[in-house]
Amino acid sequence: MTAVTRTTGERAVSTRPRAADLTLYAAGSVGMGVWVTVPGLLLLYFLTRTLGVPAFLAGTILLLPKIVDVVVHPLLGSLTDRQARRRGHRRGLLRVGLWLTAAWIALFSVPAGLSGTPAALWVGCCCVAGNLLFACFQVPYLTTPSDLRIGYHERTRVFMFRMVFLTLGLLVAGVAAPALAGSGGRGAYARMALLLAGLLVVSQLIALAGVRGLTDRCGFRSPDARARSALDDIRTAWRDRDFRALALSYLCTGTTTHLFLAAVPFYTEYVLRDRGLTAVLMGAFLIPATVAGPGWLRASRRIGKQNGLLLCQTVFAAGSLALAAGGRLGAAGSAVLVAAMGTAFAGLQLFAFSMVPDAVAAAGTRGSARAGAYTGVWTATEAAGTALGPYVYSTVLALGGFVSTTEGRAVQQSHAAHVGVLLGVTVVPAAFMAVATAFQRRCGLDRR
């Protein structure tokens, strides 16, 4: 039985994915949440407050591996399309990504004799290796909803399941990692990485079973029969005006959210005057994000994904600006603001990611469906945002004259450094989110 969806006009098999298969598939996002959250939350702080790396160098070291990602992700997208044409599935590249755990452990296990620039180089090399392995898993994993023969609202449902498990992973990592690394010593960071490594690899193994179950039940939509070059695949995806607007919007959105994650430890220490509140604020951010997915799914059926995404972008920007009053509001008031931002964060992820297979389906009606290529460009955009956020914040800190230090040493920061800490978590992310909203308004997928 087939049905034509009202938004894209594509003809799709009207099979509803089973909740059991969706749960297995979405479980892979727990590990993805660990990899995305902990480095984004702790690496900049780890480098500047434990390893003695200057703020600007620390931000640069975190940015450079992502430049590699911007090149590699689209190439992997094209590669996974070729594998899908040949084998009828994308699981080969997923299995390569299982080696991510080794890079994860090494990332926070910096040898005792390294500090400053040598320590920064160690972390940078581990980031490059880890990001490449993460991409091997992420690109085919996120392409799965585009591969399934399902319609507009079912694609949102797939990503709603993923969003719940992603935010669960973000919550576990965002609360547990700062608590486990609370002493700030190298040994604490290494133990934290080792304890979370099991969660990372188990979630990936479960996701493999989920991908197989979904494609077996819902069917597999193969890419175009004729193989093309990776460069041609990338050009095709980027020439899609709606997809381009969506990707540029998410670049700014990802920059904003990862800037916020990187800024939280500094905000709690220098604005709220209590470093122990890092885990509290991360809980306030991620608990609402974990439970908000079903509500945003219902909202999408009423107002559409485009309007929902614009609403979430506005709420996140307003919350960022309101954090400027954190010193007067105290921990409780700041937690309320962060909870509102966490609720919006759930919608930012759900709506943006579920519009990618909509773009692929719309392209299919024009005869250019290349799901892997689209996903590769999309994840490259996401990778750029995850790096730009900490880099932008580290640049603001450097401009303010923030002084780095090694573990066990305290340093008095200047007034300008305190201003930089605050502006970097309020005005700067709000400005980036305003640009994201401007790009998003150019996307016409829902209208089509």
Side-chain angles (χ1 to χ4, degrees):
M1 179 179 178
T2 60
V4 179
T5 64
R6 65 178 178 82
T7 53
T8 62
E10 86 273 13
R11 189 166 293 277
V13 177
S14 57
T15 302
R16 183 177 174 84
R18 295 183 303 186
D21 291 332
L22 289 175
T23 300
L24 291 175
Y25 168 74
S29 292
V30 174
M32 294 177 70
V34 171
W35 175 259
V36 170
T37 303
V38 178
L41 176 64
L42 295 182
L43 264 187
L44 182 60
Y45 195 85
F46 179 49
L47 287 164
T48 58
R49 302 287 288 150
T50 300
L51 302 179
V53 180
F56 185 77
L57 175 59
T60 302
I61 283 294
L62 297 181
L63 175 66
L64 292 179
K66 297 297 184 178
I67 295 176
V68 177
D69 284 357
V70 171
V71 176
V72 168
H73 279 242
L75 298 178
L76 289 176
S78 186
L79 172 63
T80 194
D81 273 344
R82 289 196 292 273
Q83 290 181 347
R85 292 185 190 101
R86 188 170 60 253
R87 302 176 184 176
H89 63 79
R90 303 178 190 269
R91 294 190 294 274
L93 206 57
L94 279 168
R95 296 188 182 99
V96 176
L98 295 176
W99 289 97
L100 174 63
T101 306
W104 160 260
I105 294 172
L107 181 63
F108 289 99
S109 301
V110 181
L114 298 184
S115 62
T117 300
L121 292 175
W122 173 281
V123 171
C125 290
C126 291
C127 277
V128 170
N131 288 341
L132 290 176
L133 291 167
F134 181 68
C136 289
F137 187 86
Q138 183 191 34
V139 172
Y141 177 79
L142 291 180
T143 306
T144 298
S146 299
D147 291 334
L148 304 178
R149 295 183 176 276
I150 56 178
Y152 177 83
H153 290 303
E154 285 304 313
R155 288 192 286 269
T156 312
R157 181 168 169 259
V158 173
F159 277 101
M160 189 274 289
F161 270 78
R162 177 188 176 263
M163 187 65 221
V164 170
F165 279 86
L166 175 64
T167 50
L168 181 62
L170 297 175
L171 177 62
V172 171
V175 174
L180 291 169
S183 68
R186 295 171 187 246
Y189 280 101
R191 285 191 297 274
M192 175 272 297
L194 193 61
L195 288 171
L196 292 179
L199 182 63
L200 180 59
V201 70
V202 168
S203 74
Q204 289 180 300
L205 291 169
I206 295 172
L208 273 168
V211 170
R212 181 188 292 273
L214 282 173
T215 52
D216 287 348
R217 176 170 174 78
C218 300
F220 184 83
R221 191 196 309 269
S222 296
D224 293 348
R226 184 167 65 88
R228 298 172 174 83
S229 68
L231 184 59
D232 185 54
D233 283 342
I234 296 168
R235 286 172 176 167
T236 298
W238 199 246
R239 280 197 296 262
D240 187 327
R241 187 173 67 176
D242 291 330
F243 176 74
R244 185 171 65 246
L246 180 66
L248 290 172
S249 176
Y250 192 72
L251 172 63
C252 296
T253 297
T255 300
T256 303
T257 55
H258 285 85
L259 186 159
F260 172 77
L261 288 175
V264 167
F266 296 89
Y267 183 79
T268 56
E269 181 171 355
Y270 294 104
V271 178
L272 300 181
R273 307 291 183 180
D274 186 352
R275 182 183 166 193
L277 290 173
T278 297
V280 174
L281 285 194
M282 287 308 299
F285 183 72
L286 294 169
I287 289 174
T290 303
V291 301
W296 288 123
L297 176 62
R298 289 192 293 272
S300 75
R301 294 178 180 273
R302 289 180 173 271
I303 64 175
K305 302 175 194 179
Q306 169 80 341
N307 290 332
L309 185 50
L310 292 171
L311 173 62
C312 292
Q313 289 172 332
T314 302
V315 171
F316 200 97
S320 298
L321 290 173
L323 285 175
R328 295 188 297 274
L329 295 174
S334 297
V336 171
L337 289 175
V338 169
M341 295 169 68
T343 303
F345 173 75
L348 292 173
Q349 297 291 306
L350 174 62
F351 294 130
F353 275 84
S354 62
M355 290 177 79
V356 176
D358 292 343
V360 174
T365 65
R366 303 190 296 269
S368 60
R370 305 176 206 179
Y374 273 66
T375 306
V377 172
W378 177 260
T379 56
T381 302
E382 182 186 23
T386 63
L388 282 172
Y391 178 76
V392 169
Y393 192 66
S394 69
T395 301
V396 174
L397 291 180
L399 291 174
F402 187 88
V403 180
S404 299
T405 186
T406 54
E407 61 179 300
R409 295 181 57 192
V411 62
Q412 186 70 29
Q413 301 293 345
S414 66
H415 174 70
H418 282 271
V419 171
V421 167
L422 186 60
L423 288 179
V425 76
T426 55
V427 175
V428 176
F432 270 96
M433 196 61 87
V435 177
T437 302
F439 278 122
Q440 190 59 42
R441 291 186 182 279
R442 299 181 182 180
C443 181
L445 279 171
D446 269 12
R447 292 192 298 274
R448 280 168 177 70

